[in-house]
Amino acid sequence: MNRLVPITLKQHGLRHTEAREEVLDLFYNKNFALSHGGLENELQERFDRVTIYRTLKTFLDKGIIHKVLDDEGTVKYAMCRSDCQAEDHEHHHDHVHFKCLGCGQTTCLDEVRIPALDLPEGYKRQEINLLVQGTCPACKS
Ligand SMILES: [Zn+2]
Ligand SMILES: [Zn+2]
Ligand SMILES: [Zn+2]
């Protein structure tokens, strides 16, 4: 298990459960976003759907992971990095997500920021999602 798993759970005041440890470990070991179905496959039915759903919900609420919208409308999840907390101390994800059409994996491009958008009067931004599709370095050749 990744050594950061117990540290992260502790930091967020979460009790250690097998499901939390294993799901979090998967996020540390994969550097691409995972869907609910993908997680189920990886965990090989060691936990039921509801347990996985609840674990994801807890991690979302705590700001350990964030949602990544895919082109097919599938929701995937990716680890939050320290830069989720921007200067304004609000937790948001103003980075671009990249979906590779070759391997089908979606990754966070944390260093590629989404430029500020001027919304019309009366509209308040909550979440922003920008998906770029193309070819990743591994599939390039
Ligand atoms: Zn985040
Ligand atoms: Zn690829
Ligand atoms: Zn992301």
Side-chain angles (χ1 to χ4, degrees), residues 30-33 70 76 97-107 131-132 134 136 138-139:
K30 311 274 178 196
N31 50 4
F32 50 87
D70 216 325
K76 293 184 172 178
H97 290 131
F98 189 92
K99 161 112 182 219
C100 176
L101 299 170
C103 57
Q105 285 171 359
T106 310
T107 35
L131 184 73
V132 179
C136 80
C139 296

Side-chain angles (χ1 to χ4, degrees), residues 63-66 78-81 83-85 91-93 95:
I64 297 174
I65 58 173
H66 61 276
M79 285 294 290
C80 283
R81 322 244 175 204
D83 69 344
C84 282
Q85 245 85 250
H91 192 114
H92 47 62
H93 309 102
H95 59 262

Side-chain angles (χ1 to χ4, degrees), residues 62-77:
K62 292 283 184 184
I64 297 174
I65 58 173
H66 61 276
K67 281 188 186 175
V68 176
L69 292 189
D70 216 325
D71 58 327
E72 292 142 19
T74 332
V75 179
K76 293 184 172 178
Y77 304 89

Side-chain angles (χ1 to χ4, degrees), residues 28-74:
Y28 274 115
N29 291 336
K30 311 274 178 196
N31 50 4
F32 50 87
L34 293 161
S35 65
H36 194 289
L39 279 164
E40 276 183 73
N41 287 343
E42 292 284 346
L43 297 166
Q44 300 184 333
E45 298 171 14
R46 296 203 32 207
F47 306 104
D48 60 33
R49 295 184 62 87
V50 179
T51 307
I52 296 176
Y53 176 82
R54 285 211 194 107
T55 306
L56 289 172
K57 173 95 172 49
T58 304
F59 288 173
L60 276 175
D61 290 348
K62 292 283 184 184
I64 297 174
I65 58 173
H66 61 276
K67 281 188 186 175
V68 176
L69 292 189
D70 216 325
D71 58 327
E72 292 142 19
T74 332

